[in-house]
Coordinates of all heavy atoms in Angstrom, one line a residue:
L256 N 0.8 -1.2 0.0 CA 0.0 0.0 0.0 C 0.8 1.3 0.0 O 0.4 2.3 -0.5 CB -1.0 0.0 1.2 CG -2.2 -0.9 1.0 CD1 -1.9 -2.4 1.2 CD2 -3.3 -0.5 2.0
Y257 N 2.1 1.2 0.5 CA 3.0 2.3 0.5 C 3.3 2.7 -0.9 O 3.2 3.8 -1.4 CB 4.2 2.0 1.3 CG 5.4 2.9 1.1 CD1 5.4 4.2 1.7 CD2 6.5 2.6 0.3 CE1 6.5 5.1 1.5 CE2 7.5 3.4 0.1 CZ 7.5 4.7 0.7 OH 8.6 5.5 0.5
H258 N 3.8 1.7 -1.7 CA 4.1 2.0 -3.1 C 2.9 2.4 -3.9 O 3.0 3.3 -4.7 CB 4.7 0.7 -3.7 CG 6.0 0.3 -3.2 ND1 7.1 1.2 -3.2 CD2 6.4 -0.9 -2.6 CE1 8.1 0.5 -2.6 NE2 7.8 -0.7 -2.3
C259 N 1.8 1.8 -3.6 CA 0.5 2.2 -4.4 C 0.1 3.6 -4.1 O -0.3 4.3 -5.0 CB -0.6 1.2 -4.0 SG -2.1 1.5 -4.9
Q260 N 0.2 4.0 -2.8 CA -0.2 5.4 -2.4 C 0.7 6.4 -3.2 O 0.2 7.4 -3.6 CB 0.0 5.5 -0.9 CG -0.3 7.0 -0.4 CD -1.7 7.4 -0.5 OE1 -2.6 6.7 -1.0 NE2 -2.0 8.7 -0.1
I261 N 2.0 6.1 -3.3 CA 2.8 7.1 -4.0 C 2.6 7.1 -5.5 O 2.5 8.1 -6.2 CB 4.3 6.7 -3.7 CG1 4.6 6.9 -2.3 CG2 5.3 7.5 -4.6 CD1 6.0 6.4 -1.8
T262 N 2.4 5.9 -6.1 CA 2.3 5.8 -7.6 C 0.9 6.0 -8.1 O 0.7 6.7 -9.1 CB 2.8 4.4 -8.0 OG1 4.1 4.2 -7.5 CG2 2.8 4.3 -9.6
E263 N -0.1 5.5 -7.4 CA -1.5 5.5 -7.9 C -2.5 6.1 -7.0 O -3.5 6.7 -7.4 CB -1.9 4.1 -8.2 CG -1.0 3.3 -9.1 CD -1.3 1.9 -9.3 OE1 -2.4 1.6 -9.8 OE2 -0.5 1.0 -8.9
G264 N -2.3 6.1 -5.6 CA -3.3 6.5 -4.7 C -4.5 5.6 -4.6 O -4.5 4.5 -5.2
D265 N -5.6 6.1 -3.9 CA -6.8 5.4 -3.9 C -6.6 4.0 -3.3 O -7.2 3.0 -3.9 CB -7.5 5.4 -5.3 CG -9.0 5.3 -5.2 OD1 -9.6 5.5 -4.2 OD2 -9.6 5.0 -6.3
V266 N -5.9 3.8 -2.3 CA -5.4 2.5 -1.9 C -6.5 1.6 -1.4 O -6.5 0.4 -1.6 CB -4.3 2.6 -0.8 CG1 -3.0 3.2 -1.4 CG2 -4.8 3.4 0.4
T267 N -7.5 2.2 -0.7 CA -8.6 1.3 -0.2 C -9.4 0.7 -1.4 O -9.6 -0.5 -1.4 CB -9.6 2.1 0.7 OG1 -8.8 2.7 1.7 CG2 -10.7 1.2 1.2
R268 N -9.7 1.5 -2.4 CA -10.5 1.0 -3.5 C -9.6 0.0 -4.3 O -10.0 -1.0 -4.8 CB -10.9 2.1 -4.4 CG -11.8 1.6 -5.6 CD -12.2 2.8 -6.5 NE -13.0 3.7 -5.8 CZ -14.3 3.6 -5.7 NH1 -15.0 2.6 -6.3 NH2 -15.1 4.5 -5.0
K269 N -8.3 0.3 -4.4 CA -7.4 -0.6 -5.1 C -7.3 -1.9 -4.4 O -7.3 -3.0 -5.1 CB -6.0 0.0 -5.2 CG -5.8 1.2 -6.2 CD -5.7 0.6 -7.6 CE -5.5 1.7 -8.6 NZ -5.6 1.3 -10.0
A270 N -7.2 -1.9 -3.1 CA -7.1 -3.2 -2.4 C -8.4 -4.0 -2.6 O -8.3 -5.3 -2.7 CB -7.0 -2.9 -0.9
Q271 N -9.5 -3.4 -2.7 CA -10.8 -4.2 -2.9 C -10.8 -4.7 -4.4 O -11.2 -5.8 -4.6 CB -12.0 -3.2 -2.6 CG -12.1 -2.9 -1.2 CD -13.1 -1.8 -0.9 OE1 -13.4 -1.0 -1.8 NE2 -13.5 -1.7 0.3
E272 N -10.4 -3.8 -5.3 CA -10.5 -4.2 -6.7 C -9.5 -5.3 -7.1 O -9.8 -6.2 -7.9 CB -10.3 -3.0 -7.6 CG -11.4 -2.0 -7.6 CD -11.0 -0.8 -8.4 OE1 -9.9 -0.6 -8.8 OE2 -11.9 0.1 -8.6
L273 N -8.4 -5.3 -6.4 CA -7.3 -6.2 -6.7 C -7.3 -7.5 -5.9 O -6.5 -8.4 -6.1 CB -5.9 -5.5 -6.5 CG -5.6 -4.4 -7.5 CD1 -4.4 -3.6 -7.0 CD2 -5.4 -4.9 -8.9
L274 N -8.3 -7.6 -5.1 CA -8.4 -8.8 -4.2 C -8.2 -10.1 -4.8 O -7.5 -11.0 -4.3 CB -9.7 -8.8 -3.4 CG -9.8 -9.7 -2.2 CD1 -8.7 -9.4 -1.1 CD2 -11.2 -9.7 -1.6
P275 N -8.8 -10.4 -6.0 CA -8.5 -11.7 -6.7 C -7.1 -12.0 -7.0 O -6.7 -13.2 -7.2 CB -9.4 -11.6 -7.9 CG -10.4 -10.6 -7.6 CD -9.7 -9.6 -6.8
Y276 N -6.3 -11.0 -7.1 CA -4.9 -11.1 -7.5 C -3.9 -11.2 -6.3 O -2.8 -11.7 -6.3 CB -4.4 -10.0 -8.4 CG -5.1 -9.9 -9.7 CD1 -6.2 -9.1 -9.9 CD2 -4.6 -10.6 -10.8 CE1 -6.8 -9.0 -11.1 CE2 -5.2 -10.5 -12.0 CZ -6.3 -9.7 -12.2 OH -6.9 -9.6 -13.4
I277 N -4.4 -10.6 -5.2 CA -3.5 -10.3 -4.0 C -3.2 -11.6 -3.3 O -4.1 -12.3 -2.8 CB -4.1 -9.3 -3.1 CG1 -4.2 -7.9 -3.8 CG2 -3.2 -9.1 -1.8 CD1 -4.9 -6.9 -3.0
A278 N -1.9 -11.9 -3.1 CA -1.4 -13.1 -2.3 C -0.8 -12.6 -1.1 O -0.6 -13.4 -0.1 CB -0.5 -13.9 -3.2
H279 N -0.4 -11.3 -1.0 CA 0.3 -10.8 0.2 C 0.1 -9.3 0.1 O 0.1 -8.7 -1.0 CB 1.7 -11.2 0.2 CG 2.5 -10.8 1.5 ND1 2.2 -11.5 2.7 CD2 3.4 -9.9 1.8 CE1 3.0 -11.0 3.6 NE2 3.7 -10.0 3.1
M280 N 0.0 -8.7 1.3 CA 0.0 -7.2 1.4 C 1.2 -6.7 2.3 O 1.7 -7.5 3.1 CB -1.3 -6.7 2.0 CG -2.5 -6.8 1.1 SD -3.9 -5.9 1.8 CE -5.2 -6.4 0.7
Q281 N 1.5 -5.5 2.1 CA 2.5 -4.8 2.9 C 2.1 -3.4 3.2 O 1.4 -2.8 2.4 CB 3.9 -4.8 2.3 CG 4.5 -6.2 2.3 CD 5.9 -6.2 1.6 OE1 6.1 -5.6 0.6 NE2 6.8 -7.0 2.1
V282 N 2.5 -2.8 4.3 CA 2.2 -1.4 4.7 C 3.4 -0.7 5.2 O 4.3 -1.2 5.8 CB 1.0 -1.4 5.7 CG1 -0.3 -1.9 5.2 CG2 1.4 -2.1 7.0
A283 N 3.3 0.6 4.9 CA 4.1 1.6 5.6 C 3.4 3.0 5.3 O 2.7 3.1 4.3 CB 5.5 1.7 5.0
D284 N 3.6 3.9 6.2 CA 2.9 5.2 6.0 C 3.7 6.1 5.0 O 5.0 5.9 4.8 CB 2.8 5.9 7.3 CG 1.5 6.7 7.4 OD1 0.9 7.1 6.3 OD2 1.0 7.0 8.5
T285 N 3.0 6.9 4.3 CA 3.7 7.9 3.4 C 3.6 9.3 4.0 O 2.7 9.6 4.8 CB 2.9 7.9 2.1 OG1 1.5 8.1 2.3 CG2 3.1 6.6 1.3
P286 N 4.6 10.1 3.7 CA 5.7 9.9 2.7 C 7.0 9.3 3.3 O 7.9 9.0 2.5 CB 6.0 11.3 2.3 CG 5.8 12.1 3.5 CD 4.6 11.5 4.2
G287 N 7.1 9.0 4.6 CA 8.4 8.7 5.1 C 8.7 7.2 5.2 O 9.8 6.8 5.6
R288 N 7.8 6.3 4.8 CA 7.9 4.9 4.9 C 8.2 4.5 6.4 O 9.0 3.5 6.7 CB 9.0 4.3 4.0 CG 8.8 2.8 3.7 CD 9.7 2.3 2.7 NE 9.3 1.0 2.3 CZ 9.8 0.2 1.3 NH1 10.9 0.7 0.7 NH2 9.4 -1.0 1.1
N289 N 7.5 5.2 7.3 CA 7.6 4.8 8.7 C 6.3 4.1 9.1 O 5.5 3.7 8.3 CB 7.8 6.1 9.5 CG 9.0 6.9 9.1 OD1 8.9 8.1 8.8 ND2 10.1 6.3 9.0
E290 N 6.1 3.8 10.4 CA 5.0 3.1 10.9 C 3.7 3.8 10.7 O 3.6 5.0 10.6 CB 5.2 2.7 12.4 CG 5.4 4.0 13.3 CD 6.8 4.3 13.6 OE1 7.6 4.4 12.6 OE2 7.2 4.4 14.7
P291 N 2.6 3.0 10.6 CA 1.3 3.6 10.5 C 1.0 4.6 11.6 O 1.4 4.4 12.7 CB 0.3 2.4 10.6 CG 1.1 1.2 10.1 CD 2.6 1.5 10.6
G292 N 0.4 5.7 11.2 CA 0.1 6.8 12.1 C 1.2 7.9 12.1 O 1.0 8.9 12.8
T293 N 2.2 7.8 11.3 CA 3.2 8.9 11.2 C 3.1 9.7 10.0 O 3.9 10.6 9.8 CB 4.6 8.2 11.3 OG1 4.8 7.3 10.2 CG2 4.9 7.5 12.6
G294 N 2.1 9.4 9.1 CA 2.0 10.1 7.9 C 0.6 10.5 7.5 O -0.2 10.8 8.3
E295 N 0.3 10.4 6.2 CA -0.9 11.0 5.7 C -2.1 10.0 5.5 O -3.2 10.4 5.2 CB -0.6 11.5 4.3 CG -0.2 10.5 3.3 CD 0.3 11.1 1.9 OE1 0.4 12.4 1.9 OE2 0.6 10.4 1.0
V296 N -1.9 8.7 5.8 CA -2.9 7.7 5.5 C -3.8 7.5 6.8 O -3.2 7.4 7.9 CB -2.3 6.4 5.0 CG1 -3.4 5.4 4.8 CG2 -1.6 6.6 3.7
N297 N -5.1 7.4 6.6 CA -6.0 7.0 7.7 C -6.0 5.5 7.9 O -6.9 4.8 7.3 CB -7.4 7.6 7.5 CG -8.4 7.3 8.6 OD1 -8.0 6.6 9.6 ND2 -9.6 7.7 8.4
W298 N -5.0 4.9 8.6 CA -4.9 3.5 8.6 C -6.0 2.7 9.3 O -6.4 1.7 8.8 CB -3.5 3.2 9.3 CG -2.4 3.5 8.3 CD1 -1.5 4.5 8.5 CD2 -2.1 2.8 7.1 NE1 -0.6 4.5 7.4 CE2 -1.0 3.5 6.5 CE3 -2.6 1.7 6.4 CZ2 -0.4 3.1 5.3 CZ3 -2.0 1.4 5.2 CH2 -1.0 2.0 4.7
P299 N -6.6 3.2 10.4 CA -7.7 2.5 11.0 C -8.8 2.3 9.9 O -9.4 1.2 9.8 CB -8.2 3.3 12.1 CG -7.0 4.0 12.6 CD -6.2 4.3 11.3

């Protein structure tokens, strides 16, 4: 979701649309690639 947020955005919708393809997910907050809650994404 970190890479997607930078390149494409709309991460929640993307995660739902891509569900048939997804075998694994990863997270980091943007823009600093730090832990959730340190950047711009509403992680809850």
